[in-house]
Amino acid sequence: MELQDVLRVAGVGLVIALLHVFFDQTGKKEFSFFLFFIAYLYMTAELIRFLRLFFNEIIIFFQWLTSTR
């Protein structure tokens, strides 16, 4: 499941990068900036979700570690 999420984020990042370059080349700097800003917010939300999953796994590991004693 997480691999699909990482690949989805990578795909979105590539599309955003191509659109950013396209809008820069066509002279539409405002669109390029807003596209970058929205993509930054999306990537930040995804990173927070990934961190939540990571810390949940760590909590599960420590619970397992304390229950084996």
Side-chain angles (χ1 to χ4, degrees):
M1 185 69 150
E2 288 87 15
L3 179 62
Q4 290 176 346
D5 293 335
V6 170
L7 292 176
R8 179 175 40 86
V9 168
V12 168
L14 285 173
V15 169
I16 295 298
L18 291 173
L19 287 173
H20 180 74
V21 169
F22 172 75
F23 284 131
D24 269 348
Q25 294 293 325
T26 57
K28 300 187 188 293
K29 301 275 184 186
E30 305 87 27
F31 290 133
S32 178
F33 171 75
F34 287 120
L35 182 68
F36 175 75
F37 183 70
I38 291 170
Y40 182 77
L41 291 177
Y42 170 75
M43 295 297 177
T44 302
E46 287 293 323
L47 178 65
I48 290 171
R49 192 172 66 83
F50 287 147
L51 285 174
R52 190 184 77 224
L53 290 172
F54 174 70
F55 286 120
N56 282 339
E57 291 292 325
I58 289 176
I59 289 170
I60 291 169
F61 173 73
F62 282 128
Q63 287 172 349
W64 172 80
L65 195 62
T66 58
S67 68
T68 58
R69 288 184 173 191

